[in-house]
Structures are given as C-alpha cells and as structure tokens.
C-alpha cells in the first residue's frame, strides 16, 4: 500500500511512499533465493510470499529472482540491491531503538548553561577539570542568568540552567535538585559586626547592599524580616551577588547572599549567620523536556550534579 507524504519544500508535489515492509521481505528473499524458505522465515504462506515478490517486482521494475532450472537466481539488479539493503534496514532499526549510553570521550559538543553570578566562581573550575578528563570534546558555555524567565530553555538557546524551581519557570520544565543553600551576611574584614554574634536589631541597623532589580518585589530575606517585625535599610541595589560583595568588601555595608553559591566570592570577608529564621532553598538543575532523553545531555546532568556535590562536600565538611 502506498501512502502520500507532504514534502518539506512547497514547490515539490506530494511523493508516493511505498510500503517499507517490502524491504524486509526483499532482504530475506535475496538471502534465501527461495520463496518457500523466505515464507517460512517470515511466517507467511508460500502464496502470500509469492504475492509479495510480485509487488517487489512491480515496485522495482525488475524481476529480481528468476528461475534457473529448479532454483531461483538473482538478477544483476537484485545483486546490486543485496549489498545496500542490509545496512539500510540496520539504520532503520537503529532509528526506532532507544539510543545507547553515550561514550563521554566521543562527545563533540558545546552546552550552554545559564547560572547566577557566583556559581561559576565556586563550581566552574572543578566542573571543567573533571569534564576535561572524562569528555575532552565537551565544552561548557556559561551565560549569566539575570532573571527567572525560562524562555531560553523553551527556545533551545540554553541547554541547562541552575536556580530555584518556582511557578515562573513553567510546569513543563524538568528539574533535579543540586544542593541546599542558605543566606548569610557578608562584611569586610574588620567590620564592627564581625566582632561577635549579631542580633536582629544590629543587622537591620546596618546599611545593606541588595542584589536584585530596582523596584522588584521584596525577596525572601525581607519577607523573613517582616515576619519578625523588622525592616532593613537598603542603601544600594546592584545587579548580582558579585557586585554586592565587591560593594560590601570596600564599605561598611552588609551583603546578604547565598552561602554555597558565593564561597569563592566571599574569600577574605567575614561571614555572619543571620539572626532570624529563614528557610534554606534548593538549587536545582533545570532543562526542557526536549533534551530529557538525549544521551549526552543526560550524562552531563548526572556528572554536573555529582561534581557539585563533591565540591560542597570538600569545601563544607
């Protein structure tokens, strides 16, 4: 039975598609050179196999197998097809099987990963070092995540991103937890607040530098302070954690940042435990479902998570 398929080019007419099951029958007929044996292998009756051979002859315009005494012999066209059909069927079978596990050393590909600032400084070097040994042809392209819009994942311009899973990301996205993080205060060495344990009054009395967008709704830190009846004074708003910590490093301002996310950025600064309750957050690896079954993408997700956990274990234990 022929089907008609629409061509990708609008200038071309619809093309007839032959019954591709005939390829399997042709492969067996050419291998056995016998209608009866081919029928047995394909679990068909000899008459059904004969009808299939007739259809093959009609489709190819060649008799394919002709009688020579008491047996069938292939025509030149059949001999030419014999060498082509086995690889063709193997390729077709491979298309309809799940992909095999990827060999990391065979990956030749770049992956774009969107993260908040601080992530690359803390986790980037260990990731690159580990992956360079395991998958030398793999390249990581880190881009800055300035907002929580998931459009780049949907459009395919970003392969992975790190962040907190929330409603703004969209329900169709896939996510896997990487690690838990919590906010801490960071001040310059020698800052008055670094001398001892601080209380809520001392924390809110200080000037603060906030990493975020001007005019954005209050974040989790301000929500937690409001829950205990306090409000901090934000003196400066900057675009990210790096800028907030640079500002705090050269002033008496307090930067409140995720602890694990900014380990490298806070080097040489004093770290303060926050004097009010604030739930930890889960940082996740996020991707679009179109990449879920891709073997190289799956392998990278698994290694990405394990390397991040190894960095945390080495640095926080």
């Amino acid at each position: 039975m022929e089907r008609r398929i629409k061509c990708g080019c609008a200038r071309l007419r619809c093309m007839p598609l032959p019954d591709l099951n005939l390829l399997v029958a042709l492969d067996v007929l050419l291998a056995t050179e016998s209608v009866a044996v081919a029928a047995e292998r394909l679990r068909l009756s000899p008459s059904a196999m004969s009808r299939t051979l007739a259809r093959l002859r009609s489709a190819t315009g060649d008799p394919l197998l002709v009688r020579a005494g008491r047996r069938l012999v292939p025509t030149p066209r059949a001999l030419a097809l014999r060498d082509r059909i086995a690889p063709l069927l193997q390729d077709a079978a491979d298309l309809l099987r799940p992909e095999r596990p990827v060999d990391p050393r065979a990956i030749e590909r770049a992956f774009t990963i969107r993260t908040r600032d601080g992530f690359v400084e803390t986790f980037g070097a260990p990731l690159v070092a580990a992956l360079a040994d395991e998958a030398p042809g793999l390249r990581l392209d880190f881009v800055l995540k300035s907002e929580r819009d998931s459009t780049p994942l949907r459009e395919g311009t970003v392969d992975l991103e790190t962040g907190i899973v929330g409603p703004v990301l969209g329900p169709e996205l896939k996510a896997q937890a990487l690690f838990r993080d919590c906010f801490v205060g960071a001040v310059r060495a020698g800052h008055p607040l670094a001398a001892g344990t601080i209380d809520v009054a001392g924390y809110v009395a200080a000037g603060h530098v906030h990493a975020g967008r001007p005019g954005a709704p209050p974040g989790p830190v301000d929500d937690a302070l409001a829950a205990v009846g306090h409000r901090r004074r934000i003196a400066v708003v900057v675009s990210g954690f790096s800028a907030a910590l640079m500002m705090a490093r050269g002033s008496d301002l307090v930067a409140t940042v995720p602890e694990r996310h900014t380990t490298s950025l806070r080097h040489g600064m004093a770290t303060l435990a926050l004097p009010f309750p604030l739930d930890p957050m889960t940082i996740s690896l996020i991707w679009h479902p179109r990449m879920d079954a891709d073997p190289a993408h799956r392998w990278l997700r698994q290694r990405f998570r394990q390397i991040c956990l190894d960095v945390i274990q080495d640095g926080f234990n």
Side-chain angles (χ1 to χ4, degrees):
M1 178 184 297
E2 287 189 347
R3 299 178 182 176
R4 290 192 174 269
I5 58 173
K6 290 184 177 179
C7 301
C9 179
R11 293 176 296 175
L12 297 178
R13 297 179 179 177
C14 291
M15 298 175 57
L17 181 67
D19 182 359
L20 297 181
N21 288 319
L22 291 174
L23 293 175
V24 178
L26 178 59
D27 184 47
V28 178
L29 281 166
L30 296 181
T32 62
E33 297 182 0
S34 168
V35 171
V37 177
E40 184 177 351
R41 288 194 182 179
L42 294 176
R43 298 183 180 180
L44 297 173
S45 66
S47 60
M49 196 73 245
S50 294
R51 291 193 296 272
T52 299
L53 178 56
R55 292 176 61 199
L56 282 164
R57 287 168 170 165
S58 175
T60 61
D62 188 271
L64 298 174
L65 293 169
V66 296
R67 189 160 294 283
R70 304 181 66 177
R71 65 191 185 93
L72 296 175
V73 294
T75 65
R77 176 76 190 281
L79 291 175
L81 290 175
R82 176 183 287 170
D83 294 334
R84 296 172 56 192
I85 193 169
L88 185 63
L89 287 174
Q90 184 61 55
D91 287 345
D94 289 343
L95 285 174
L96 298 176
R97 291 192 186 106
E99 288 194 76
R100 296 175 183 145
V102 69
D103 176 6
R105 301 195 68 81
I107 297 174
E108 295 286 341
R109 189 165 162 187
F111 289 89
T112 301
I113 303 171
R114 194 169 71 140
T115 66
R116 290 292 302 269
D117 60 336
F119 187 93
V120 174
E121 290 84 348
T122 300
F123 297 99
L127 279 165
V128 170
L131 296 178
D133 290 336
E134 300 171 27
L138 184 150
R139 191 182 83 206
L140 299 182
D141 296 344
F142 286 99
V143 296
L144 186 62
K145 179 179 179 179
S146 58
E147 52 189 27
R148 294 185 180 181
D149 180 19
S150 57
T151 299
L153 285 174
R154 292 193 179 94
E155 293 180 346
T157 57
V158 166
D159 297 296
L160 288 165
E161 73 172 49
T162 63
I164 300 172
V165 175
V168 71
L169 288 175
E172 82 277 15
L173 297 180
K174 299 276 190 175
Q176 181 183 44
L178 283 178
F179 54 85
R180 302 269 276 175
D181 208 347
C182 61
F183 280 100
V184 294
V187 295
R188 63 172 177 80
H191 191 284
L193 291 180
T197 303
I198 63 170
D199 56 16
V200 180
Y203 174 84
V204 298
H208 292 261
V209 51
H210 174 62
R213 289 179 292 115
V221 173
D222 297 289
D223 290 340
L225 280 171
V228 293
H230 288 274
R231 180 179 178 182
R232 61 178 176 164
R233 182 180 65 83
I234 296 175
V236 182
V237 176
V238 294
S239 60
F241 302 134
S242 297
L245 289 167
M246 285 295 292
M247 187 71 70
R249 192 185 295 273
S251 69
D252 281 339
L253 297 175
V254 179
T256 303
V257 295
E259 181 181 20
R260 289 176 169 172
H261 222 80
T262 61
T263 303
S264 298
L265 295 177
R266 288 183 288 106
H267 181 71
M269 301 181 72
T271 299
L272 313 173
L274 297 184
F276 51 91
L278 182 60
D279 291 336
M281 52 196 163
T282 298
I283 306 300
S284 295
L285 194 60
I286 306 164
W287 65 96
H288 193 275
R290 77 162 66 86
M291 305 303 296
D292 197 47
D294 180 85
H297 196 279
R298 184 191 302 124
W299 178 85
L300 178 59
R301 296 193 308 260
Q302 293 169 349
R303 292 300 295 128
F304 200 100
R305 180 175 184 271
Q306 186 56 56
I307 294 166
C308 286
L309 292 176
D310 291 343
V311 170
I312 289 169
Q313 185 175 6
D314 292 343
F316 287 85
N317 285 348

